[in-house]
Amino acid sequence: MSSNIIHDADGSASRIVLKEHTGSTAEVLFQGGQVVSWKNERREELLFRSNKTLWKPPKAFRGGIPISFPQFGTFGSLERHGFARNRVWVLDDSPSPLPAANNQSTVDLILKSTEEDLKTWPHRFEVRLRISLSAGKLTLIPRVRNIDNKPFSFTFSLRNYLSVSDISEVRVEGLETLDYFDNLQRGERYTEQADAITFDSETDRVYLSTPTKTAIIDHEKKRTYVLQKEGMADAVVWNPWDKKAKSLPDLGDQDYKKMLCVDSAAVETPIILKPSEEWRGRQELSTVSSSYCSGQLDPRKVIYG
């Protein structure tokens, strides 16, 4: 297993590439601590990344797994999705209390509050992120520590831009019967009535008190993404569809067909940390082959298996 830090022309470190023995890889930017690529052993890209991305740091680019901290979306007074995705992270040499990485398919990053951050969000913090690659699996462990002398609260998300064959052939299992905020209806609260979430129009929902495991089933590719999470009670499901896609300058007009965002998030109930307290989340993305049978892809075996 190996990792490789890639430098820009000016000599500054820009990204790190993780590799593991089966041939799968992951690529992580120091800008935003953002995973921008995850390829399986067949070199198939599993994360969506827009070909029209207008990446102009410090703004995050569309695709991969951007982070929202200390605010998700517009759930607060800060800039949309907070500022962590627009900052440069650095290698974390002391990720305690996590054990030191014992192989080179793991990287630890850290973001510390700056005086500039304190002008807009007056709380001193440290955000750590461990990214680990193994055969068929990508794991992210985010942590937030309060290093201030007063409590603070925050919302958080890992936005997973998943690459799919055709959004109209995708279904999400595991969120049925749950309540959700519909951001297309001014955040009104509804209850999911469908047996599974399918897509034929713009979708922007925050599902509440979600299970630890969700399955995203791609019928055409006969592939299921399994999303497992801890410490992030909510799940955000987003696809812009055609009209919204055309209004986004960093997304191709047809890109909505090839992507689906399913986020691990803490939105409804902000996380509160007292001084010196630390919050820890965990997200594990994996893929399994699916067999099409009687209109179902055995989702309960994936979810409850």
Side-chain angles (χ1 to χ4, degrees), residues 8 22 50 61 67 72 84 92 95 98 127 172 188 230 236 275 280:
D8 287 335
T22 68
S50 173
F61 75 78
I67 295 168
F72 171 79
D92 183 7
L98 290 183
V127 184
V172 178
E188 289 292 323
E230 301 169 9
V236 184
R280 182 191 299 190

Side-chain angles (χ1 to χ4, degrees), residues 48-223:
F48 170 81
R49 180 171 167 174
S50 173
N51 292 325
K52 199 179 175 183
T53 287
L54 305 171
W55 188 43
K56 295 180 180 179
K59 295 297 183 183
F61 75 78
R62 192 174 297 282
I65 309 178
I67 295 168
S68 295
F69 172 87
Q71 174 185 298
F72 171 79
T74 56
F75 284 72
S77 58
L78 300 176
E79 60 186 297
R80 187 178 183 87
H81 293 309
F83 50 72
R85 61 173 60 190
N86 301 327
R87 300 290 188 266
V88 176
W89 297 50
V90 297
L91 291 173
D92 183 7
D93 295 327
S94 55
S96 177
L98 290 183
N102 58 7
N103 59 63
Q104 292 181 310
S105 61
T106 294
V107 63
D108 288 296
L109 300 177
I110 186 170
L111 177 71
K112 297 182 179 182
S113 51
T114 65
E115 293 304 314
E116 192 65 27
D117 296 332
L118 293 172
K119 293 177 182 177
T120 56
W121 199 63
H123 307 288
R124 297 185 184 276
F125 65 85
E126 292 176 346
V127 184
R128 287 179 161 86
L129 180 65
R130 169 167 286 192
I131 301 141
S132 298
L133 178 71
S134 56
K137 187 180 301 182
L138 181 67
T139 304
L140 281 74
I141 301 176
R143 293 182 288 151
V144 178
R145 177 173 290 274
N146 182 348
I147 58 171
D148 213 322
N149 58 9
K150 58 184 182 295
F152 64 69
S153 64
F154 63 93
T155 52
F156 186 92
S157 83
L158 297 172
R159 166 143 287 187
N160 302 295
Y161 279 85
L162 303 177
S163 176
V164 300
S165 55
D166 181 348
I167 186 62
S168 64
E169 295 295 323
V170 172
R171 57 194 285 134
V172 178
E173 301 273 0
L175 303 178
E176 53 275 7
T177 75
L178 298 181
D179 284 1
Y180 63 88
F181 295 135
D182 192 336
N183 292 326
L184 301 181
Q185 301 293 332
R186 300 174 301 282
E188 289 292 323
R189 187 168 183 146
Y190 298 91
T191 300
E192 181 58 63
Q193 302 295 330
D195 293 335
I197 302 169
T198 56
F199 302 90
D200 58 11
S201 61
E202 183 181 355
T203 303
D204 188 356
R205 299 173 180 174
V206 181
Y207 286 84
L208 310 173
S209 301
T210 59
T212 58
K213 188 183 290 188
T214 305
I216 300 94
I217 302 159
D218 189 333
H219 291 298
E220 189 170 313
K221 285 189 176 178
K222 294 182 172 60
R223 178 167 64 202

Side-chain angles (χ1 to χ4, degrees), residues 253-294:
D253 290 354
Q254 302 299 313
D255 278 353
Y256 74 93
K257 296 179 180 179
K258 301 296 182 182
M259 58 154 281
L260 175 63
C261 289
V262 181
D263 306 359
S264 300
V267 177
E268 182 188 25
T269 303
I271 297 161
I272 300 173
L273 291 180
K274 297 176 182 178
S276 300
E277 282 188 338
E278 181 177 272
W279 164 83
R280 182 191 299 190
R282 180 184 176 90
Q283 172 184 284
E284 183 181 288
L285 270 173
S286 59
T287 60
V288 295
S289 297
S290 309
S291 57
Y292 192 77
C293 178
S294 301

